[in-house]
Amino acid sequence: MDNFKRYQVENYKKDFIHIGQIKWDFEGLMINLEAQKNPRKISLIFADTVYFYMNTLESYKPSWWIESGEDYYPFYYAVDSEYISKLREEVDHIEDDKIIHFVIIGVDNVVDVLTNAFPKINIG
């Protein structure tokens, strides 16, 4: 987690989130989230290249363990991570110089996305 920085999301009110539906549609990879304490829906749309995504269905991954609920924040990113290094080693035809490792930490899931651009975010 050392290389990861918080990705600031406008209009996000600090709240625990649940990962809802993850799907591909005409806009790209869409990840729908729900806030725990209020009915707000959050949609992240990765419209550009997505090299990889993984949804880990568990309440935590050791590298993302949060000691206190007060420390919780769901959106992080890095431009240098173990997953990015592995992708570059294993895939010869990567066109992008910059790859972003975007992480969403939900209550019961952790979603990792390797992409070339930050997502479009809708909060409603």
Side-chain angles (χ1 to χ4, degrees), residues 3 12 16 22 24 29 44 69 78 86 101 104 106:
N3 295 335
Y12 167 73
F16 290 93
I22 300 175
W24 291 95
L29 177 65
L44 281 73
K86 285 183 181 180
H101 182 172
I104 306 158

Side-chain angles (χ1 to χ4, degrees), residues 38-97:
N38 64 56
R40 298 189 91 183
K41 306 275 187 201
I42 304 169
S43 292
L44 281 73
I45 302 165
F46 293 89
D48 294 320
T49 302
V50 172
Y51 289 103
F52 165 89
Y53 84 91
M54 178 173 60
N55 181 10
T56 306
L57 300 170
E58 52 188 64
S59 58
Y60 71 93
K61 285 169 66 173
S63 59
W64 292 104
W65 182 250
I66 299 166
E67 295 293 327
S68 165
E70 295 171 5
D71 297 332
Y72 175 79
Y73 189 79
F75 309 109
Y76 289 88
Y77 76 97
V79 293
D80 180 26
S81 73
E82 184 179 334
Y83 283 168
I84 293 172
S85 296
K86 285 183 181 180
L87 178 71
R88 289 195 184 281
E89 286 173 14
E90 295 176 8
V91 179
D92 295 331
H93 57 277
I94 294 177
E95 298 174 4
D96 299 301
D97 291 331

